[in-house]
Amino acid sequence: MPNAITMPLEKGFSETWMKAFQQFQNMDIGASGLQAPPIDTPPLRFSPEALLRLQQDYVRDATELWNQSLQANPTLKDRRFRGSAWAQNPLASFTAAVYLLNARTLMAMAEAAEGDAKTKNRIRFAVEQWMAAAAPSNFLAFNAEAQKKAIDTHGASLAKGVANMLQDAKQGHMSMTDESVFEVGKNVATTEGAVVFENAFFQLIEYKPLTAKVHEKPFLLVPPCINKFYILDLQPANSFIRYAVSQGHRTFVVSWRNPDASLEKATWDDYIEHAAIEAVKRVQDITGAKQINALGFCVGGTILTTALAVLAARGEKPVSALTLLTTLVDFTDTGILDVFIDEQMVRYREMQMGSGGMLKGQDLASTFSFLRPNDLVWNYVVGNYLKGETPPPFDLLYWNSDSTNLPGPFYAWYLRNTYLENNLIKPGKLTVCGEKIDLRKLDIPVYIYGSREDHIVPIGGAYASTQVLPGKKRFMMGASGHIAGVINPPAAGKRSHWVGDDTEFPENVDDWIAGATETPGSWWEDWASWLKSHAGKEVAAPKSYGKGAQYKAIEPAPGRYVKAKAG
């Protein structure tokens, strides 16, 4: 009898899920209205027993919910429905409770689907997107708080919401903070310095020393070219750049140009040769140092590592010690981003922009926002538009909204050779700037940092560099996510970091974590101590920027490249 009941259910569920999943497979978040070619999807299957359990659980929970609603409003723990207006509105609270029940059931169905790991991850992601979008809090007709505010303000909140929506449409993105409060160079990115070199790809900023003496080996930071460098220099109190300067390092930073039509044919090789390698050589030339220390953050770390591999192939070893912050070198574990990557998607991007074109910054920003849809999308739909609120000033979210374009050829190469084929870790597989890439030649000390809750560079992905890079390594895990874990100054006294054995790095990050010790506070001081040991003796700090007429100060930091908006 159970099979007679569940087999039709299995067939119906499978057909419905197949259609919906194929729609998800064929969508392309941030594709500027273009649709990817159809993808062949293996059939989804559900065991009859699993579907029967789901059905029984749903009927039981729905019955309990109905019985509870006859006596009192359902108790809602989800933060979207915790306001008093929801509790005082029986219809709204019941609608929210039914939604939460349906969401739990659909997620349970996603877990019950039988298929390979990638297919199941895609199903989970699709269901999460649907559930986030379908929440009753996102609609004025069901949002009890928005309705109450509209009544209390005599409709003023609705008028303000419409005005907010029109303003966001005009500026091309949804406001996450009050952007009028911030200005780059005025109240963000304020550490004192000067641009001492520039080309078509980047400006090189040198920062004014904060100590009478500096270490003889200068320090170069290569931030991601996705977003802008001032995430490392938001405010004096949380500026990683200022912290590095205060530790006695003569500090330089790559400030990427926000690409326009003149760079639409720029390639990965261009970014390696004319940006990362050029920056290293210019810092050497300015300071007279035979070796420097360098740091790469996120994709900046991938670019820097590739550049050092190119230089190693040329017999050059300009970097004494390397720091990688939330960086993927081995792209085996790419977390949630893997749901977007397959041969068809990459081939489509290559056809679309592999020979020229531009990935618009807002398209990329939207993709990253939808990785956390409730926090970074629907939260602002409700607040900005339904309630007519102005989001409070927040420097990190201002930076997050300050998007950057990417050249199409660069982006297409990056997708195929890292996320899809993971070619960087295959000795001799890639030729970059005319050289065969072999990371085994990077026999230098390296400090590798990963954030425990990072959804962009999973902790396992960051840790994987310990298995690839041959030099003496120190791995550090910090609490929180991709940005908050990195930007954690010691004075704040927040979060924790985990310290492990520097002599043994098991293959699996979970084994390393099991042997690590949690330590309260920031990891910055541990890193500073490590970098100091590789920075050489102290010498008198320079009294001026650059060197002579060739490297005179072009303009004050943060320069003009960082102020250019994505077109």
Side-chain angles (χ1 to χ4, degrees):
M1 182 62 69
N3 284 344
I5 294 173
T6 56
M7 286 304 291
L9 283 173
E10 179 185 8
K11 183 175 185 296
F13 277 130
S14 296
E15 290 176 351
T16 301
W17 276 72
M18 269 303 295
K19 292 178 182 177
F21 183 50
Q22 284 175 334
Q23 290 176 351
F24 163 73
Q25 288 268 58
N26 294 333
M27 81 176 183
D28 188 17
I29 294 179
S32 302
L34 297 173
Q35 188 177 25
I39 297 173
D40 293 329
T41 306
L44 295 177
R45 298 185 180 277
F46 299 83
S47 74
E49 292 79 10
L51 287 179
L52 179 60
R53 284 196 301 272
L54 285 170
Q55 184 185 42
Q56 291 172 339
D57 290 345
Y58 184 84
V59 171
R60 183 194 65 239
D61 292 346
T63 301
E64 290 178 0
L65 176 60
W66 175 253
N67 291 335
Q68 179 187 3
S69 68
L70 295 176
Q71 302 178 26
N73 291 345
T75 301
L76 304 173
K77 297 181 180 180
D78 190 293
R79 64 181 179 83
R80 292 170 291 180
F81 313 116
R82 275 193 297 212
S84 59
W86 290 94
Q88 295 166 7
N89 187 322
L91 179 60
S93 59
F94 182 73
T95 301
V98 171
Y99 158 78
L100 292 173
L101 171 59
N102 290 337
R104 289 196 304 272
T105 303
L106 282 172
M107 285 305 301
M109 285 181 64
E111 295 298 330
E114 297 175 351
D116 61 86
K118 184 158 189 162
T119 299
K120 292 196 68 170
N121 285 337
R122 283 176 159 170
I123 293 169
R124 291 189 195 99
F125 182 80
V127 171
E128 287 171 356
Q129 296 300 317
W130 296 332
M131 288 299 94
S137 52
N138 299 338
F139 303 92
L140 183 61
F142 301 108
N143 191 313
E145 287 184 313
Q147 293 170 2
K148 185 176 185 302
K149 188 166 187 178
I151 294 171
D152 292 345
T153 62
H154 304 286
S157 63
L158 298 180
K160 184 64 166 61
V162 171
N164 288 345
M165 185 166 58
L166 292 175
Q167 173 60 29
D168 285 355
K170 181 179 179 181
Q171 70 183 8
H173 64 268
M174 183 163 51
S175 297
M176 296 182 176
T177 183
D178 185 353
E179 297 180 20
S180 65
V181 173
F182 299 102
E183 183 180 348
V184 175
K186 292 295 178 75
N187 53 9
V188 291
T190 59
T191 298
E192 189 174 354
V195 175
V196 293
F197 172 81
E198 66 180 47
N199 65 14
F201 293 88
F202 74 102
Q203 289 187 314
L204 183 66
I205 300 173
E206 180 179 4
Y207 287 92
K208 182 179 180 179
L210 295 173
T211 54
K213 293 186 177 182
V214 296
H215 293 283
E216 63 179 344
K217 293 179 183 176
F219 180 50
L220 171 66
L221 291 90
V222 181
C225 53
I226 301 170
N227 289 112
K228 297 180 177 179
F229 84 86
Y230 65 87
I231 185 59
L232 298 171
D233 189 30
L234 285 174
Q235 303 292 334
N238 64 5
S239 171
F240 187 87
I241 290 173
R242 186 177 179 85
Y243 180 78
V245 176
S246 73
Q247 298 302 303
H249 299 288
R250 188 174 180 183
T251 302
F252 297 80
V253 171
V254 168
S255 174
W256 297 99
R257 182 179 175 189
N258 202 340
D260 55 21
S262 68
L263 288 178
E264 67 176 9
K265 293 186 180 296
T267 65
W268 181 264
D269 281 25
D270 289 329
Y271 272 66
I272 300 303
E273 189 74 73
H274 303 305
I277 291 177
E278 187 74 18
V280 169
K281 291 186 177 299
R282 295 293 176 172
V283 171
Q284 287 180 295
D285 197 18
I286 291 170
T287 62
K290 292 182 178 180
Q291 283 192 314
I292 71 172
N293 291 321
L295 176 150
F297 179 18
C298 190
V299 69
T302 310
I303 290 172
L304 179 59
T305 302
T306 306
L308 296 183
V310 169
L311 291 170
R314 295 173 180 172
E316 301 177 42
K317 190 178 179 181
V319 170
S320 174
L322 173 66
T323 299
L324 296 176
L325 305 182
T326 60
T327 292
L328 290 172
V329 175
D330 180 345
F331 283 72
T332 300
D333 180 5
T334 57
I336 192 62
L337 289 176
D338 185 59
V339 303
F340 297 108
I341 307 297
D342 55 29
E343 176 63 35
Q344 290 89 340
M345 178 269 187
V346 173
R347 191 182 306 158
Y348 162 62
R349 283 302 200 184
E350 290 171 338
M351 293 170 59
Q352 181 194 24
M353 59 179 63
S355 298
M358 197 71 65
L359 179 68
K360 295 297 185 180
Q362 189 51 47
D363 293 341
L364 198 59
S366 295
T367 300
F368 283 112
S369 291
F370 274 100
L371 298 181
R372 295 170 54 196
N374 284 327
D375 293 332
L376 297 179
V377 179
W378 300 110
N379 175 52
Y380 298 103
V381 169
V382 173
N384 297 3
Y385 308 150
L386 301 190
K387 297 181 181 179
E389 298 171 346
T390 299
F394 189 13
D395 53 9
L396 191 149
L397 289 178
Y398 173 78
W399 165 85
N400 189 63
S401 299
D402 194 3
S403 60
T404 54
N405 301 324
L406 285 180
F410 169 96
Y411 178 61
W413 189 100
Y414 179 57
L415 286 179
R416 175 166 294 281
N417 289 288
T418 59
Y419 281 93
L420 182 64
E421 297 182 359
N422 197 16
N423 287 330
L424 273 177
I425 64 170
K426 301 172 184 177
K429 173 70 174 178
L430 288 178
T431 299
V432 178
C433 302
E435 307 291 346
K436 294 288 186 181
I437 299 300
D438 186 351
L439 298 182
R440 296 175 300 181
K441 295 181 179 181
L442 294 185
D443 189 14
I444 58 177
V446 57
Y447 190 103
I448 302 167
Y449 170 84
S451 292
R452 186 179 57 175
E453 288 90 26
D454 197 333
H455 64 293
I456 295 174
V457 177
I459 186 63
Y463 177 81
S465 295
T466 64
Q467 309 299 301
V468 176
L469 300 175
K472 187 176 181 180
K473 293 172 284 283
R474 182 165 180 78
F475 181 76
M476 181 65 60
M477 182 175 75
S480 197
H482 189 68
I483 299 299
V486 171
I487 309 303
N488 185 28
K494 292 182 178 180
R495 308 186 186 96
S496 298
H497 62 279
W498 283 258
V499 179
D501 188 349
D502 281 354
T503 60
E504 294 186 12
F505 294 94
E507 183 176 351
N508 191 294
V509 67
D510 292 332
D511 295 329
W512 182 90
I513 293 172
T517 302
E518 182 177 1
T519 304
S522 172
W523 57 272
W524 287 15
E525 292 173 321
D526 180 271
W527 169 79
S529 176
W530 176 88
L531 185 62
K532 181 179 180 180
S533 69
H534 297 286
K537 65 183 181 182
E538 292 185 331
V539 296
K543 298 186 181 302
S544 60
Y545 299 115
K547 185 178 76 172
Q550 184 180 0
Y551 295 107
K552 62 182 179 180
I554 297 171
E555 60 183 334
R560 67 188 186 282
Y561 279 15
V562 74
K563 298 178 182 179
K565 299 296 183 180

